Amino acid sequence: MSWSDILYPDNPARREKVARLHQELINCIELNFDTTNELIGVLNTHCQFKLHPIKMNMNGTVQENCDILLAAIKSIQDMLQAIDARLKRELEPDLYRKLHDFQEPDAKKMQILRNVATVVSGLAGTVAMGIFIKLALSQVVSRVLTQTTMVLAKIGASVIGAVAGMILGVGVDLILSAILGAVERDQLEAKIQELNALVSEFKPASHEYNKTIIKISCMLP
């Protein structure tokens, strides 16, 4: 045991907590990659999208991986918005309004989409229309996607996000080895507070995103 640990006996526990919170953060990022790839597969299969699967850069920073996720989610949202823009041009204003009315039942929205499915790319077939309704016209899914992108942006912009080697855990070792004693105590507490805030927000958002997309996938034939 080092003199630092003798003088500041809580520091080893703080180091362990930093390492544990870091791993929770990385687990959430991995879950978001898996969830986004699941969504990409669904859209490519049933809506004729041509999105490329994404892969974590294990040698990159947290920020770089968050940027990959943000770019993929934005591509999905852009394609859904392009379909929505086409619908706005093709539908009567009242019908288009009903599509975006969260109080309207999905069956009614499906009926509206059937009238224009043949002229709107990405809505060919009942399954594709159902996916569009669940993804683009659902208040819950819209909120989940917005929440996910906001948290990813926050993590990418954090001090942790810019540290090289964080995905593989090397960055954590660098952080822990660079600070000792009373300085270590204070800096570890700062890292714990930062990571704890990020994980407490990111973890539930990640699980909700995953649950939402898996639920949509399980409804498919």
Side-chain angles (χ1 to χ4, degrees), residues 5 15 31 99 114 142 147 157 183 190:
D5 288 350
R15 289 190 211 107
L31 179 62
L99 268 184
R114 285 197 181 99
S142 297
Q147 181 183 30
V183 174

Side-chain angles (χ1 to χ4, degrees), residues 11 66 123 134 147 152-153 159 165:
N11 278 356
C66 286
L123 292 181
K134 292 298 183 185
Q147 181 183 30
L152 283 169
V159 175

